[in-house]
Amino acid sequence: MRQNEGVYVGIVKNNRPLVAGNWKMNGLKNAVQEIIKLQTSLQDLVSLGCDVLVCPPATLLSHFEAVVSEGQVPLLLGGQDCHMAVSGAHTGDISAQMLKDVGCEYVIVGHSERRSDHNETNEMVQAKAKAAIEAGLIPIICVGESEEERVAGQTLTVVTSQLRGSVPPESKGNEIIIAYEPVWAIGTGKVPEVKDVADVHQMIRKELASILGHGGQELRILYGGSVKADNAGTLMAIDNVDGALVGGASLRADDFTGILKVYSS
Ligand code: PEP
């Protein structure tokens, strides 16, 4: 088996999967207990075949970093957004360099909640992804159609145009990650049909190959939207699904571990 391959209950994936938890605007200092619990659960899992990332609110990063750096299990940390500039007069914002400085290796950019709450455009998302790469972080670039667009049969067109606008064309495959998150599936308990996820992920793979060349084959494409322990096995087994971006079910160590178990042999 090649070093970067991951095992999903006996199925070998080309790219080592990543399961990322997006805590959104949830959690106070005592939430560090969930990270300690998660580390204990991960220690008990035999041969975990995926990387595990937690993206808490920025206020918790240094607390979590103190615990993660002392732990026995390789738990990764990420931010939920970054500014496109390195520093400057941007009250309330956080730069990619600041995230790197506090111990992050990843940052989510272009999450649908940022795109809708803060009117983020593809151009802004691309600039943030570039800033992340320059700071030595791996951006997780989110794309996905709304309910209205899905019903109108525009899923592939919308996702293609988001990819073309948001992915820095000069990046190498291992420098970025894509998360396909149908907006209507986020936090709703609704999940697309397996065939629909397979079709969109295959199209994303093809589109990335056209934007990035060979690197498009290597990069990881995550699925996000109501991933839970009871549907993770089915979703993660789909071709070109190289892991998950998890919201609600990443907040509690027990729920998150239930998802991670699909990658444990
Ligand atoms: C998300 O916010 O990225 C997400 C996928 O949320 P949930 O898992 O709660 O649907």
Side-chain angles (χ1 to χ4, degrees), residues 20 22 24 108 111-113 142 181-182 185-190 223-228 245-250:
N22 172 15
K24 310 192 187 194
I108 300 168
H111 190 281
S112 63
E113 287 151 17
C142 300
E181 299 206 301
I186 295 178
T188 60
K190 294 187 211 162
Y223 166 78
S226 295
V227 177
K228 308 269 183 277
L245 181 52
V246 184
S250 70

Side-chain angles (χ1 to χ4, degrees), residues 11 13 197-199 201-202 205 235-242:
I11 298 170
K13 293 271 181 181
V197 175
D199 287 351
H201 278 243
Q202 188 187 38
R205 179 74 68 208
L235 290 162
M236 298 305 105
I238 300 171
D239 266 1
N240 291 306
V241 174
D242 304 311

Side-chain angles (χ1 to χ4, degrees), residues 5-262:
E5 285 175 337
V7 179
Y8 156 75
V9 287
I11 298 170
V12 176
K13 293 271 181 181
N14 287 331
N15 301 314
R16 182 172 168 84
L18 170 74
V19 179
N22 172 15
W23 280 34
K24 310 192 187 194
M25 198 173 70
N26 293 295
L28 302 176
K29 272 196 286 187
N30 62 3
V32 81
Q33 293 309 323
E34 291 302 318
I35 296 302
I36 295 167
K37 222 168 143 186
L38 181 61
Q39 286 179 314
T40 309
S41 315
L42 292 184
Q43 262 170 334
D44 293 344
L45 292 183
V46 185
S47 68
L48 188 62
C50 69
D51 294 333
V52 184
L53 168 69
V54 177
C55 302
T59 48
L60 294 180
L61 279 168
S62 63
H63 296 292
F64 283 17
E65 200 277 331
V67 170
V68 164
S69 60
E70 292 296 314
Q72 305 290 311
V73 288
L75 203 52
L76 302 160
L77 284 180
Q80 297 178 9
D81 176 52
C82 66
H83 198 276
M84 56 194 79
V86 175
S87 60
H90 304 288
T91 304
D93 279 314
I94 292 172
S95 74
Q97 207 178 54
M98 290 167 178
L99 292 173
K100 181 77 182 173
D101 188 47
V102 78
C104 291
E105 293 180 55
Y106 294 78
V107 60
I108 300 168
V109 292
H111 190 281
S112 63
E113 287 151 17
R114 298 284 320 173
R115 288 179 187 262
S116 63
D117 293 0
H118 300 273
N119 299 318
E120 289 192 6
T121 62
N122 288 330
E123 291 71 24
M124 290 161 77
V125 175
Q126 188 187 79
K128 288 174 178 222
K130 277 188 197 164
I133 296 167
E134 271 157 35
L137 296 175
I138 298 183
I140 301 176
I141 303 171
C142 300
V143 295
E145 80 287 0
S146 66
E147 172 77 51
E148 215 179 15
E149 290 161 341
R150 179 182 77 92
V151 171
Q154 295 170 342
T155 299
L156 295 183
T157 323
V158 167
V159 173
T160 303
S161 106
Q162 287 175 330
L163 286 172
R164 289 186 190 161
S166 310
V167 172
E170 66 282 1
S171 50
K172 299 186 191 80
N174 58 6
E175 285 179 336
I176 62 169
I177 290 178
I178 302 297
Y180 168 56
E181 299 206 301
V183 179
W184 53 271
I186 295 178
T188 60
K190 294 187 211 162
V191 180
E193 299 293 326
V194 166
K195 186 180 177 319
D196 292 339
V197 175
D199 287 351
V200 179
H201 278 243
Q202 188 187 38
M203 181 282 292
I204 292 175
R205 179 74 68 208
K206 247 177 94 186
E207 190 56 37
L208 290 170
S210 116
I211 301 172
L212 303 174
H214 183 66
Q217 294 302 325
E218 293 168 7
L219 70 74
R220 294 182 279 190
I221 307 171
L222 313 183
Y223 166 78
S226 295
V227 177
K228 308 269 183 277
D230 61 4
N231 60 21
T234 307
L235 290 162
M236 298 305 105
I238 300 171
D239 266 1
N240 291 306
V241 174
D242 304 311
L245 181 52
V246 184
S250 70
L251 291 170
R252 299 184 58 85
D254 289 347
D255 297 338
F256 202 37
T257 306
I259 294 170
L260 296 169
K261 276 185 181 160
V262 304

